[in-house]
Amino acid sequence: MRRLLTPPEGVAKAAALLAAGQPVAIPTETVYGLAVPADDARAVAEIYRLKGRPAFNPLIVHVADLAAAEALALFDARARALAAAFWPGPLTLVLPRREGAGVASLVTAGLPTVALRVPAHPLAQAVLEALARPLAAPSANSSGRLSPTRAGHVTLPVAVLDGGPCAAGLESTIIGLAAAGRARLLRPGALPAEAVEAVLGAGLAGAGEGVSAPGQLLQHYAPRQPLRLEAVERRPGEWLIGFGPVAGDSTLSASGDLAEAAARLFDELHRAETSGAERIAVAPVPGEGLGAAINDRLARAAAGRGA
Ligand code: AMP
Ligand code: MG
């Protein structure tokens, strides 16, 4: 149920709900974010269900400061320079994920990179401090609707920490630093690209530069082996990922729970990829609710290279 939390008491309540795996809409200087602890895969799956997102795109992870960010990702000199100049603030950096970082694979959609930001809003900072865990937080709107910039705009059935209107009212600027070569402007946003270029002392590559279709802007994780969908039994040489009545070598959810399946999806694909099997097969997953996003991602993985 939607419920308004008001500061200062609301901060501790928000942190307690988050610690229990309940999503909370929190104010940031860009827009209101629908936050959950980034290491809680079930809670992250709940975000997708609440937003009605038809696909698993990676989410931005919000941390309290640079030290917390460096615990999750590998920073080079450029990343440190940008963090020093613009954090806390509306800049998101996509960086190589640190091995063993406490971020659920559903947050990064199975990618070896992670998108990080230190928000400047005092209430976002207060919640991060009280919880002492990173928060995954996409905008707190239903998929396809306007991003909320006031507590009253958040219509999802969650607790909303009221921080008044957002100062920027525009999403963060996303800079990709994970690949070799020039830094890439992945999404224009509240921080002007020129300000980033001034700190880097170099121009940014456009999001689409060297990419043949806009849909390929974001590389998606796909296992190396061929992937067969709608499999009801294992064929020779296959690692079968089960669901519900199809047991498999491992399972997305033995009980047929779609939230559990979403939470486990990328971990199970990685497990199958490293199993040594020549091929991977996945049991049928129903298409309703979170099943739509699960099937979308499986279809992309089966196609070899997601778009
Ligand atoms: P939202 O959370 O709705 O503001 O959207 C997050 C944006 O960050 C999406 O456009 C993602 O494509 C982008 N993003 C998040 N993580 C990554 C990543 N690891 N690599 C590239 N883009 C990312
Ligand atoms: Mg959004």
Side-chain angles (χ1 to χ4, degrees):
M1 223 199 344
R2 189 180 179 282
R3 143 162 101 104
L4 213 56
L5 306 177
T6 45
E9 325 77 62
V11 170
K13 283 186 195 149
L17 287 168
L18 289 164
Q22 302 282 319
V24 178
I26 62 167
T28 79
E29 72 276 28
T30 60
V31 302
Y32 276 73
L34 185 60
V36 291
D39 54 0
D40 184 338
R42 284 298 286 260
V44 176
E46 176 64 6
I47 281 189
Y48 280 94
R49 195 188 66 75
L50 279 166
K51 283 180 64 83
R53 268 206 188 180
F56 293 133
N57 289 321
L59 304 175
I60 296 171
V61 175
H62 297 69
V63 290
D65 52 27
L66 177 61
E70 294 215 29
L72 303 180
L74 301 171
F75 279 65
D76 61 10
R78 296 176 305 175
R80 288 213 182 84
L82 291 176
F86 301 117
W87 279 358
L91 171 69
T92 296
L93 299 177
V94 174
L95 297 166
R97 183 165 44 85
R98 210 177 259 287
E99 199 65 46
V103 173
S105 62
L106 189 56
V107 169
T108 61
L111 295 172
T113 56
V114 61
L116 292 171
R117 176 165 110 78
V118 176
H121 196 290
L123 289 178
Q125 278 284 343
V127 172
L128 283 166
E129 194 186 320
L131 185 69
R133 280 156 81 187
L135 289 171
S139 50
N141 52 325
S142 293
S143 191
R145 308 295 293 274
L146 280 180
S147 292
T149 54
R150 292 172 179 271
H153 293 168
V154 180
T155 55
L156 300 174
V158 295
V160 184
L161 181 60
D162 191 353
C166 300
L170 197 68
E171 267 88 358
S172 63
T173 300
I174 305 182
I175 303 294
L177 291 170
R182 271 202 290 165
R184 192 177 280 268
L185 178 63
L186 296 177
R187 176 176 78 185
L191 180 70
E194 293 76 15
V196 174
E197 291 178 327
V199 168
L200 292 176
L204 292 167
E209 249 169 82
V211 179
S212 51
Q216 289 176 321
L217 218 58
L218 178 66
Q219 287 260 310
H220 284 303
Y221 165 70
R224 280 188 299 273
Q225 301 95 320
L227 185 68
R228 182 168 72 89
L229 303 180
E230 309 282 333
V232 291
E233 60 192 9
R234 186 190 304 97
R235 293 181 187 163
E238 281 182 344
W239 177 279
L240 176 60
I241 301 174
F243 178 84
V246 179
D249 296 290
S250 64
T251 183
L252 293 172
S253 170
S255 64
D257 175 352
L258 288 169
E260 182 183 17
R264 299 177 60 87
L265 178 63
F266 293 102
D267 291 335
E268 290 306 331
L269 286 171
H270 278 288
R271 168 133 72 130
E273 183 178 31
T274 52
S275 68
E278 284 161 39
R279 286 180 294 279
I280 303 171
V282 187
V285 175
E288 76 264 11
L290 279 172
I294 294 172
N295 282 307
D296 167 80
R297 192 38 46 103
L298 285 173
R300 291 168 196 270
R305 175 56 49 212

